[in-house]
Amino acid sequence: MDADIIVIGASPAGVMAARNASAQGCKVILLDKKVDVGVPTHPANTFFKGMFNRTGEEVDQSYVIKNLKGAYIIAPSGKNVIFEGDAYFLDRKKFDEFYVKQAKDAGADVRFGIEVLNVLRTDDGFIVSTSKGKIKCKLVIVSDGINSRIAALLGMKPIKHNQDIAWSLEAEIEAEGIGEPDYFEYYVGNHAPGWKSTYSPCGGNRATLGMYVRRHGTDVSDFFDAWLEKFKELKGLDDVKIISKSTGGDPIVAIPGDLVADGVMIVGGSAAQSGIGYGMHAGQMCGDVAADAISKDNTSKKFLSEYRKRWNTAYRAEYYLGRFAMEALRKMTDKEIDGMMEVFEGEDLKVLSGSPFNQALQVSRMILKNNPSSILSYRAIFRNK
Ligand SMILES: Cc1cc2nc3c(=O)[nH]c(=O)nc-3n(C[C@H](O)[C@H](O)[C@H](O)COP(=O)(O)OP(=O)(O)OC[C@H]3O[C@@H](n4cnc5c(N)ncnc54)[C@H](O)[C@@H]3O)c2cc1C
């Protein structure tokens, strides 16, 4: 064997899996087809402390470009609610370098510029065929992102509700003072079917604008162009310079499917574990269970299912509740979204705490207090749309 574990893809989840398994004494090789860490840079570059805290890691200011105070969620009418809480705009390349260094320091052998072409089972493990030769290992962790090819090659279906991946276009923009505000702005409504458009200030004259759309194909450029015009109008800007654009898929409303098979674990966007923080946390769980499997010489699906169990305990209810809310949002009219927003106007959303069910109960109380008829807008979930 060349390694105990091969991790395919240096996503935030894959890097954490490699770090945790290496730290527990496993011989780990992490492979990524990118030419180098963070090259090209992934467009995901923001998160909230509340979400990142789930990883148990501390945010390190060395990779933060701008500290923000939270986010406005803005309805079609302009009514809005504020989520107060520490949030960050990241230098994503530095962020990736920071955690790849941790994986290396823990002993992982991290290799960029290597594409995995195939994974073949053998009697005692796997042969991983790459653009630079074959490598043998006992266990494979697949973390190759939203368009995972490797999971399919292994006969696994790690994403349920594939049709609900939010396809997106994000642009870095420049305009006078555009980076100054201290809050992200997320706009919901039928201009961004199924999810949102975004404005994320990152200091000075720089910001990003994003458009995330579900069930309208993978090319969302028309939606983005309309959003750019609306944004200029909203902010009274004559011109906005586009510096760069990137596209991709965010599995925010999809649900993890197969996470394990004999000798295989899937983690991160390739298993619908959307979001940097949630992906990293799942990667930690995956790496811990993988290390245990190697030390006990048991890489059976049954043994590896401990990773699924841990993930289910931490996130399953949250993901299903999130999916319910996002599906209702996708089917609501702009008028219904406006009515729903009235429920939260003026409420301190920091008080929402506890399990997903507790939070749902707290929201129900707000609905009854502020706009009981808005509950009817959730009927949208039954619409065939
Ligand atoms: C435009 C956009 C903006 C987003 N913004 C945010 C955000 O601000 N905050 C947030 O929390 N989430 C955001 N998301 C969601 C976020 O992308 C993901 O949740 C997160 O980055 C998880 O990454 P991933 O697991 O999908 O894998 P990726 O980060 O895509 O990593 C997969 C890695 O696998 C490598 N790879 C793929 N195939 C192979 C192969 N065959 N051989 C070797 N290597 C391979 C790739 O090179 C890549 O490095 C955004 C998504 C998009 C599309």
Side-chain angles (χ1 to χ4, degrees):
M1 289 291 165
D2 302 302
D4 295 320
I5 301 170
I6 290 182
V7 180
I8 304 169
S11 71
V15 173
M16 284 294 106
R19 183 197 74 178
N20 278 27
S22 302
Q24 289 164 67
C26 296
K27 187 170 181 212
V28 178
I29 302 177
L30 169 59
L31 303 173
D32 198 292
K33 65 181 178 183
K34 284 187 176 176
V35 285
D36 201 354
V37 53
V39 185
T41 308
H42 197 287
N45 51 14
T46 61
F47 59 61
F48 292 85
K49 188 166 192 285
M51 291 176 186
F52 193 71
N53 279 349
R54 306 283 284 272
T55 63
E57 308 284 328
E58 289 290 324
V59 175
D60 194 284
Q61 285 295 321
S62 69
Y63 55 64
V64 174
I65 293 181
K66 182 175 168 71
N67 292 283
L68 291 101
K69 295 179 179 160
Y72 285 95
I73 314 284
I74 302 165
S77 63
K79 284 187 193 304
N80 58 71
V81 292
I82 308 181
F83 278 90
E84 301 276 1
D86 292 341
Y88 309 92
F89 198 112
L90 313 173
D91 179 326
R92 181 57 200 264
K93 185 167 185 296
K94 282 192 183 155
F95 177 85
D96 286 352
E97 283 166 353
F98 185 88
Y99 291 102
V100 163
K101 180 174 183 308
Q102 286 194 356
K104 283 182 177 169
D105 289 347
D109 175 356
V110 183
R111 304 180 193 174
F112 281 91
I114 300 184
E115 180 172 6
V116 172
L117 305 172
N118 208 344
V119 178
L120 297 173
R121 283 182 190 279
T122 60
D123 288 344
D124 54 354
F126 297 88
I127 295 176
V128 176
S129 295
T130 79
S131 52
K132 296 205 176 147
K134 294 189 169 112
I135 315 176
K136 283 186 185 170
C137 66
K138 296 178 192 162
L139 194 152
V140 172
I141 295 178
V142 180
S143 178
D144 57 348
I146 189 77
N147 297 312
S148 181
R149 225 170 47 82
I150 305 298
L153 282 173
L154 287 161
M156 296 171 74
K157 197 168 174 287
I159 300 187
K160 285 186 194 163
H161 310 292
N162 236 321
Q163 76 281 10
D164 277 317
I165 289 170
W167 293 97
S168 50
L169 193 159
E170 215 171 82
E172 198 183 349
I173 58 164
E174 193 175 270
E176 187 63 31
I178 200 86
E180 298 297 344
D182 289 328
Y183 289 84
F184 296 128
E185 293 180 11
Y186 300 151
Y187 295 76
V188 290
N190 297 157
H191 74 291
W195 191 199
K196 64 178 177 181
S197 62
T198 61
Y199 160 41
S200 306
C202 61
N205 298 334
R206 287 285 175 100
T208 57
L209 286 189
M211 172 55 78
Y212 298 73
V213 174
R214 289 193 291 131
R215 302 201 184 195
H216 285 267
T218 54
D219 177 2
V220 302
S221 48
D222 288 349
F223 290 101
F224 178 85
D225 292 345
W227 164 228
L228 178 61
E229 288 313 308
K230 185 176 165 182
F231 178 77
K232 287 201 287 201
E233 198 184 305
L234 280 170
K235 303 293 174 189
L237 296 165
D238 290 334
D239 200 24
V240 163
K241 187 174 168 197
I242 306 267
I243 309 291
S244 63
K245 283 184 180 176
S246 30
T247 55
D250 185 348
I252 178 92
V253 190
I255 300 279
D258 299 335
L259 291 186
V260 292
D262 287 329
V264 183
M265 305 169 90
I266 307 199
V267 76
S270 39
Q273 293 160 339
S274 168
I276 296 171
Y278 288 2
M280 287 171 76
H281 190 200
Q284 294 167 343
M285 295 178 201
C286 174
D288 290 344
V289 173
D292 205 18
I294 295 297
S295 74
K296 300 206 167 81
D297 199 19
N298 184 353
T299 58
S300 66
K301 176 176 179 182
K302 192 166 174 222
F303 191 94
L304 298 180
S305 294
E306 174 61 21
Y307 156 52
R308 167 107 232 172
K309 267 190 224 146
R310 290 184 196 180
W311 186 86
N312 279 355
T313 306
Y315 291 111
R316 193 165 183 267
E318 205 171 306
Y319 270 59
Y320 273 100
L321 205 63
R323 178 169 166 78
F324 172 84
M326 294 281 284
E327 276 298 86
L329 180 74
R330 181 175 69 80
K331 295 177 180 186
M332 280 179 195
T333 62
D334 278 354
K335 200 163 165 249
E336 286 169 329
I337 295 173
D338 289 337
M340 198 183 59
M341 203 61 86
E342 281 169 19
V343 168
F344 303 107
E345 247 190 338
E347 290 286 349
D348 178 4
L349 296 174
K350 269 192 284 194
V351 300
L352 293 180
S353 59
S355 70
F357 291 110
N358 255 325
Q359 294 192 29
L361 277 177
Q362 288 163 307
V363 168
S364 311
R365 271 188 226 115
M366 286 181 193
I367 292 174
L368 291 174
K369 192 175 101 196
N370 297 338
N371 185 2
S373 64
S374 73
I375 193 91
L376 296 176
S377 60
Y378 286 94
R379 280 180 311 187
I381 193 84
F382 299 112
R383 280 181 203 141
N384 190 9
K385 186 178 167 197

